[in-house]
Amino acid sequence: MKLYLQKLMAGESLTLEEMTEAARKLFAGEASESESGALLGLLALKGETAEEIAGLVKAIRERSTAISGIQGSVTDNCGTGGDGSKSFNISTTSAFVIAGAGITIAKHGNRSVSSQTGSADVLEQLGVSLNSSPEETAELLKENGITFLFAPNVHPGMKAVMKVRQDLRVPTIFNLIGPLTNPVQLDTQLLGIYRRDKLMLMGEVLKKLGRKRAVIINGANHMDEASLAGENHLVILENGELKKMILRPEEVGLPTYSIDEIAGGDADRNARIMMSVLKGDEGPFRDTVILNAGIGIFAHGKVDTIQAGIQLARESLDSGAALSKLEYLIEKSKQSAKMGVV
């Protein structure tokens, strides 16, 4: 670890292999708290590179719970959080719409970060189990086309750095990598990020991680979601190339709403918002989900344009397909709970 710290102190970046090895030492408890804090602090001070982020992700995934037996192309639409918008659970609601459009999605998430209610909080409120085994996860992906992977369950090794992160009390590389650490091998991804200046960087990371296609987005008001409040900044990864794009609501036939109109609340309120959208209620919540799900469908490559993705998102909602994906998870959770009691 000393050699890596000396290199960072000299303003040099670590290679992917060096960062992977340094991270392995963190998670194995082979680095002191001082060394761990210095590593994270020096990386943040210098500015993390794509190789350093990819190296950390590689080390985390090595220690993640293995999810095997999954066939076909799988995507995710998890964001970094950290935007402070206090919005409702946009990406979680959108995930069911994406699944309803026929795309297999392994929804990776956690409890609240920037919103009042995280994906885990709202799904738990609705009766979805957070404790599916690896075998159950694979089965749900096969049968339902969507399941939820609760980050603390699939990344037990992260506990080793929790205290250091809490003690530092400043954003570190770990604030960027949550959506990258899905234990399922993803082919495609929609990645929301709260840092607009990191869009191209995260595109490079996804390329190094082997994504065939991806969209990285920072929305209006610097949300880690697409927003109907104004300009959305996107980077599209396709055929190994990265290109920038700006998307405005009027360009895809959607109205403009202020950020206040999509505010969320506690788990109960956000659960009610999610169900209202999936059951067909019109308004800013639905339109925001349609935009984000449409971009997610486009990111997967099922359609050639975001506009076509938005049309499929509408059909997923209007047909009841999106709602049925959530209801399936709730019912399976009830069955598992009964079996557990017996």
Side-chain angles (χ1 to χ4, degrees):
M1 185 64 77
K2 182 180 179 181
L3 292 175
Y4 304 140
L5 293 178
Q6 287 176 335
K7 191 172 182 179
L8 290 170
M9 288 177 70
E12 299 176 35
S13 296
L14 303 182
T15 65
L16 189 150
E17 292 75 18
E18 288 171 336
M19 186 65 209
T20 303
E21 185 57 33
R24 285 171 179 156
K25 291 182 181 297
L26 287 185
F27 300 132
E30 296 175 10
S32 67
E33 287 189 11
S34 297
E35 289 175 325
S36 300
L39 179 71
L40 299 184
L42 287 168
L43 284 168
L45 185 64
K46 176 184 67 65
E48 300 89 348
T49 66
E51 288 206 336
E52 288 165 343
I53 295 171
L56 175 60
V57 170
K58 180 181 177 182
I60 291 172
R61 295 189 77 247
E62 286 175 352
R63 286 178 163 265
S64 299
T65 302
I67 311 292
S68 59
I70 297 171
Q71 299 179 345
S73 178
V74 183
T75 195
D76 191 10
N77 70 331
C78 180
T80 60
D83 62 15
S85 66
K86 307 299 183 185
S87 61
F88 76 106
N89 297 97
I90 298 170
S91 66
T92 310
T93 311
S94 300
F96 292 103
V97 181
I98 294 168
I103 296 169
T104 301
I105 181 164
K107 184 69 179 80
H108 188 238
N110 209 334
R111 297 199 182 275
S112 60
V113 179
S114 60
S115 60
Q116 296 181 55
T117 307
S119 53
D121 301 304
V122 72
L123 290 175
E124 189 175 53
Q125 178 70 24
L126 288 165
V128 175
S129 173
L130 306 182
N131 301 308
S132 296
S133 68
E135 294 76 20
E136 289 170 329
T137 296
E139 183 180 355
L140 285 167
L141 281 174
K142 181 180 178 180
E143 294 181 355
N144 193 41
I146 183 171
T147 190
F148 181 69
L149 294 94
F150 185 38
N153 286 353
V154 295
H155 302 302
M158 294 289 284
K159 293 177 182 177
V161 296
M162 190 176 299
K163 185 178 186 303
V164 172
R165 292 183 64 195
Q166 290 173 340
D167 289 346
L168 284 174
R169 297 188 180 186
V170 293
T172 69
I173 190 171
F174 282 97
N175 294 85
L176 297 173
I177 53 88
L180 305 174
T181 61
N182 195 316
V184 175
Q185 184 57 49
L186 306 176
D187 294 310
T188 63
Q189 189 164 3
L190 171 60
L191 169 60
I193 182 168
Y194 73 102
R195 292 277 301 273
R196 189 165 294 173
D197 61 326
K198 300 288 188 183
L199 282 169
M200 289 297 289
L201 172 66
M202 297 304 276
E204 291 288 350
V205 174
L206 288 176
K207 186 161 65 169
K208 289 182 181 297
L209 293 175
R211 302 295 188 268
K212 297 175 182 176
R213 182 179 170 91
V215 173
I216 308 94
I217 187 163
N218 177 263
N221 297 303
H222 294 269
M223 289 183 67
D224 72 326
E225 316 271 5
S227 169
L228 291 170
E231 286 188 351
N232 297 279
H233 291 248
L234 289 69
V235 166
I236 300 168
L237 169 62
E238 187 175 25
N239 299 321
E241 300 293 327
L242 296 168
K243 63 178 181 180
K244 295 180 179 180
M245 174 183 177
I246 293 177
L247 180 69
R248 302 171 182 86
E250 61 270 20
E251 295 170 347
V252 288
L254 289 169
T256 300
Y257 297 102
S258 72
I259 193 73
D260 293 335
E261 292 178 271
I262 57 167
D266 61 15
D268 178 66
R269 171 170 165 74
N270 283 14
R272 285 186 280 112
I273 291 172
M274 181 183 292
M275 291 302 294
S276 73
V277 171
L278 296 180
K279 288 182 176 180
D281 287 1
E282 302 280 346
F285 299 123
R286 172 187 164 97
D287 288 339
T288 299
V289 167
I290 284 174
L291 175 62
N292 280 273
I295 296 173
I297 293 167
F298 168 74
H300 176 266
K302 189 177 180 73
V303 294
D304 295 328
T305 66
I306 292 174
Q307 184 65 65
I310 285 172
Q311 182 57 37
L312 282 186
R314 284 198 176 97
E315 292 172 9
S316 175
L317 282 168
D318 294 343
S319 67
L323 177 61
S324 71
K325 297 295 182 180
L326 173 58
E327 290 177 334
Y328 189 98
L329 286 187
I330 295 170
E331 183 57 34
K332 278 289 185 180
S333 296
K334 288 179 181 177
Q335 292 176 12
S336 295
K338 288 179 181 178
M339 291 176 65
V341 171
V342 174

